[in-house]
Amino acid sequence: MPAPANRQLAVRLAVSRALGRTRDLNGVYNAALETLAECLNVSRASVLLFDADGVMRFRAYRGLSVQYRIAVEGHSPWTPDSVDAEPILVPDVSREPTLERYLPVFTRERIVALAFIPLVSLGRVIGKFMLYYDAPHAFDSEEIQLASVIAASVAFAVERGKADDVARRSGALAGSEQSAVPGGIARNDSALWQTEAFQAGQRQVLELIATGAPLAQVLTLLVHIVEDQSEGVCSVLLLDTDGVHVRVGAAPSFPDEYSERIDGQPLGPHVGSNGTAMHVGQPIIDTDIVCHCDSQWDVLREAAVAIGLRACWSTPILSPHKKLLGSFATYCGTPRGPSHEELRLLETAADLAGVAIDHHQSQEALRQSEERNRAILRAIPDWMFVMSSDGVYLDYHVKNPEALLAPPEAFLGKSMREFLPSWLADDYDRAFERALATNEPELLEYSLEEHHERRFYEARIVRADSDRLLCIVRDITDRKRAELDAAAQRHELAHLNRVMILAEQSGALAHELSQPLAAILTNAQAARRLLDQSPLDLAELRAALDDVIKNDKRAGTVIHRLRELLKKSNAVLQPVDLNEVTREVLDLTHSDLLLRRMPIKTSLSPVIPPVLGDRVQLQQVILNLVLNACDAMSAIEPAEREITLTTVVDDGFVEIAVADRGVGIPDDLLDSVFEPFVTHRAQGLGLGLTISRSIVLAHRGRIQAENNADRGATFRCFLPVANGQV
Amino acid sequence: MESCRLSDGRVAVRRDQDEIAACPNRGAELGVYLERPAVDTESETAVAHMTNPDPLNLVVVDDDEEVRTALRRLLRALGHKVRVFASAEEYEATPVEADCLIVDLRLPGLNGFELMERLRLRGSSTPIVFITGDGGPSPNDPTIHAGTPSLAKPFDEHDLIAAITRALSATHERAR
């Protein structure tokens, strides 16, 4: 849909063309109905004018019955004396009390909504347009503005047509002299300017605007056309977009130096009556600029006086939204006021200038916004592709096309399946489907092997319209590599921590292995002795061998766990039962805790949803916390010691808490207890808690330390429940 | 030390307990000869002695059920009477007459040493053999000098029997 300014311009052109094709009043009315139908898509409309007795009479109509016209003729919300007439909109006639008596007529005529658009000439209502709808109609402001534009042109043409009629009847159409009345507005002068030439000129201006000609060119043409129709010279001053300064729009008949002097002056009365008109927003008629020396310094006046001009009439130029855009001034060689027709000419010129300036400003705003968009695009390193919903490249914006998988001319108009690996095209397809269905941005992350190098990408997919998508692709290789490096370092540190734990625990681990080995050897030797006995105790023999097998497996499990802890593997994410992990840690530390006299008790949640994580790393976290609890209690009497391991399920998280009855954390260390090398232990690097935190964070969880109310400290880890689980 | 060239071209050096044979272009061969310890024969004798029809009353205190069960099975197969307990406290609750106690050092609650001390304080002189899962008792342990034998798990039946024998004879010595 074109911008409102363009639409208005188009409507003006349409009216101007339609009216330009006719000279008589009936032609004008029909042109008006034709334009209404064409521009507002209204099939039923009418034109009514006040007759000599001030009664509203139908002049032209479409789609109205005789009965209807007879029933409503004469009705008017306005009288010929009405001022400031505004359109009256009736979205639903049955809800409009003032029209109640016409309701049966409307019903018979199937009229449900209607609008009264006043035809105003020089501030007076001369008639109206009626628009009729057979369904309730919500009028929008643009629609009414367009109707008003048409109304203004038609009112003008009606007045012109009436003047032509008068002139024809008096037999003095062309060549008559204007009868000027000094110091006042002349009336009843002949319409010298209402020539074909002016009509043609007006269309020329509109068409020049429509072709996008520079504003100065349009305004200069307008000034020339008006100057051709009058005895004076004209200028257009513009109000700068800053709302303060005055710019010269066009003053082709004035010396350049004067234009230069006035350009950039702040708005105010001193910029001549032209500037004053702008300043007060009203037409200013200065009948004698030499005598009226009370007005302040006036650059243009100096210039005007220098070339023999005496009177200045100016009128503000307003946008269709009544915004002040500038002023249009005519300087005349005799000290007098404008005639009725000259004033109308001035207003018409100001109106046309308004269209030109408004159009120019909206085009300029559009251009600037496009330029801004282009600047933004230039600044964005991302690649953008406009894609059809079935994956065809429609458009692109890429700063460095050489980095793409294929040159743009090769992929435009083709399907992504020709360029992307099929798994990736499948991923994109699914993302497109979701983006189209939900209207939410979709995120896709993937990596591709390019030139023997793995590169990482992140694509954001948003719906552009019903079947097109905007796909913004960002190369995130650097960030991804940094993340992977950090993860590798974390794994390295975590591994180091596990090796250290195992080194510290070697005694306990030897014990864990020596128990099953002792049981195996003893059972095997018992079995050999049993073989020598007579009679054979087969049941006891079998029990001995069963125990050999059982204990061998038990030793194997210990070795397997050790190997897991010592293994330098990348994290393997899988659903993990934290209760199970806790029990494994207790098995592993059982004898060490026994030796160190650290009684441990557990309170595990009976039902526990899995968390998504790496089993070994989560074991390590609990192991670190348990060993930390032991260290905190080493100076405490054995009878006073206790470690409590608790698991709790709460609000999408599984919490595992390790509480001790130890010395607690000094207040000044509470904040830094997870920082590296913060320790009050004699041995160890103080990395255990740091590594535990990094592991928990990598699992999208959090860890916190607090002192217990009575004694000791509690460390709590919160790990998110794996998706799809409650 | 003597050096000689062997018939196949090798050069061999021989001292009392080792042998180095070097072969040009083929590397060298090193052999070490060590005296065979006499322990084996002694424990064989001990085992033979233990399987005699003179059964002992033995008590095993170990918190590991598997080890406990295995020891009971072995010692019964050797012809002895065995009672097992999971902790020092459990044993103390039901004290039984025993010729020898086989006690794990690392126990929940009272550990092996503490159990021994309490028994000695009460005037009991029942011989004790310590068994331990983490590489033997610590070197500065005074009980080593007191003549209480210790065995590191896993241990051979011969070593166990030898230790029991030693404990019995040590007590016998003290009693005399």
Side-chain angles (χ1 to χ4, degrees), chain B residues 132-150:
Chain B
T132 171
D134 48 358
S138 71
N140 52 4
D141 195 324
T143 54
I144 291 174
H145 306 291
T148 310
S150 310

Side-chain angles (χ1 to χ4, degrees), chain A residues 315-377:
Chain A
T315 188
I317 299 170
L318 301 174
S319 77
H321 310 281
K322 306 291 174 229
K323 198 181 102 196
L324 182 64
L325 300 173
S327 69
F328 194 103
T330 301
Y331 292 80
C332 146
T334 47
R336 62 174 178 88
S339 68
H340 186 81
E341 301 302 335
E342 278 167 335
L343 197 56
R344 187 123 25 107
L345 174 63
L346 192 60
E347 284 182 353
T348 308
D351 184 41
L352 269 176
V355 174
I357 298 165
D358 187 49
H359 182 72
H360 168 78
Q361 284 183 353
S362 70
Q363 292 292 308
E364 190 63 14
L366 191 65
R367 192 185 59 76
Q368 279 174 6
S369 116
E370 275 174 3
E371 203 157 87
R372 236 181 352 258
N373 288 344
R374 271 199 298 276
I376 292 168
L377 283 180

Side-chain angles (χ1 to χ4, degrees), chain A residues 507 510-511 514-515 517-519 521-523 525-526 528-529 533 540 543-544 547 550-551 554 591 594-595 597, chain B residues 47 62-64 66-67 69-71 73-74 77-78 104 106 108-109 111 114 133-134 153-158:
Chain A
H511 188 257
S514 60
Q515 298 288 52
L517 288 179
L521 184 55
T522 305
N523 272 310
Q525 290 181 330
R528 200 170 62 188
R529 295 284 161 198
Q533 287 177 352
E540 187 68 357
D547 282 357
K550 183 162 77 178
N551 281 284
R554 180 178 158 199
S591 55
L594 208 58
L595 181 67
R597 307 226 162 169
Chain B
V47 172
D62 196 313
D63 62 320
D64 191 303
E66 295 297 323
V67 174
T69 312
L71 280 175
R73 186 172 286 135
L74 174 67
L78 288 171
D104 191 12
R106 186 184 291 199
N111 68 25
E114 287 161 340
D134 48 358
K153 295 177 194 170
F155 45 79
D156 192 84
E157 57 181 346
H158 303 301

Side-chain angles (χ1 to χ4, degrees), chain A residues 595-713:
Chain A
L595 181 67
R596 294 172 69 175
R597 307 226 162 169
M598 298 291 173
I600 191 156
K601 66 174 195 184
T602 55
S603 160
L604 304 182
S605 170
V607 179
I608 194 165
V611 301
L612 199 63
D614 181 82
R615 190 177 202 90
V616 173
Q617 291 194 351
L618 294 177
Q619 266 182 19
Q620 185 177 359
V621 170
I622 300 172
L623 198 55
N624 271 318
L625 294 180
V626 168
L627 294 178
N628 186 67
C630 292
D631 289 335
M633 294 194 297
S634 56
I636 306 287
E637 274 299 301
E640 303 273 297
R641 296 172 185 170
E642 186 170 75
I643 300 173
T644 312
L645 274 173
T646 314
T647 55
V648 180
V649 185
D650 184 27
D651 196 22
F653 283 83
V654 178
E655 178 194 335
I656 170 144
V658 180
D660 64 51
R661 312 273 298 154
V663 290
I665 305 162
D667 283 344
D668 58 324
L669 285 184
L670 254 181
D671 290 335
S672 59
V673 70
F674 293 106
E675 299 300 319
F677 309 116
V678 173
T679 181
H680 45 276
R681 289 165 59 191
Q683 52 186 175
L685 282 176
L687 283 175
L689 291 177
T690 310
I691 288 161
S692 299
R693 182 179 59 175
S694 76
I695 291 173
V696 171
L697 291 180
H699 282 78
R700 296 171 192 274
R702 64 195 159 84
I703 187 167
Q704 65 190 45
E706 64 204 34
N707 280 320
N708 298 334
D710 47 355
R711 198 151 47 84

Side-chain angles (χ1 to χ4, degrees), chain A residues 524-597:
Chain A
Q525 290 181 330
R528 200 170 62 188
R529 295 284 161 198
L530 289 167
L531 278 176
D532 293 340
Q533 287 177 352
S534 162
L536 278 176
D537 184 348
L538 283 177
E540 187 68 357
L541 196 54
R542 175 167 287 116
L545 291 173
D546 283 348
D547 282 357
V548 166
I549 294 165
K550 183 162 77 178
N551 281 284
D552 193 285
K553 284 182 176 165
R554 180 178 158 199
T557 309
V558 173
I559 290 170
H560 179 72
R561 282 199 196 136
L562 276 180
R563 199 183 283 141
E564 286 283 296
L565 280 172
L566 283 171
K567 205 161 63 179
K568 242 185 188 178
S569 61
N570 286 332
V572 181
L573 295 184
Q574 57 186 19
V576 174
D577 180 335
L578 276 182
N579 282 350
E580 245 172 58
V581 174
T582 305
R583 282 186 211 108
E584 284 163 4
V585 169
L586 290 181
D587 283 353
L588 209 58
T589 52
H590 166 76
S591 55
D592 185 50
L593 295 179
L594 208 58
L595 181 67
R596 294 172 69 175
R597 307 226 162 169

Side-chain angles (χ1 to χ4, degrees), chain A residues 377 380-387 393 395-406 411 420 428 446 448 450 455-461 470-477:
Chain A
L377 283 180
I380 290 177
D382 301 346
W383 300 341
M384 295 185 207
F385 302 95
V386 179
M387 316 275 304
Y393 294 99
D395 198 2
Y396 73 102
H397 172 84
V398 174
K399 276 179 83 178
N400 50 344
E402 68 282 355
L404 294 175
L405 285 175
F411 67 71
L420 302 180
Y428 263 111
Y446 56 92
L448 290 173
E450 295 167 25
R455 297 203 71 83
F456 294 84
Y457 298 98
E458 180 188 85
R460 278 161 206 282
I461 295 142
L470 179 63
C471 185
I472 302 167
V473 182
R474 178 174 295 185
D475 185 330
I476 55 165
T477 307

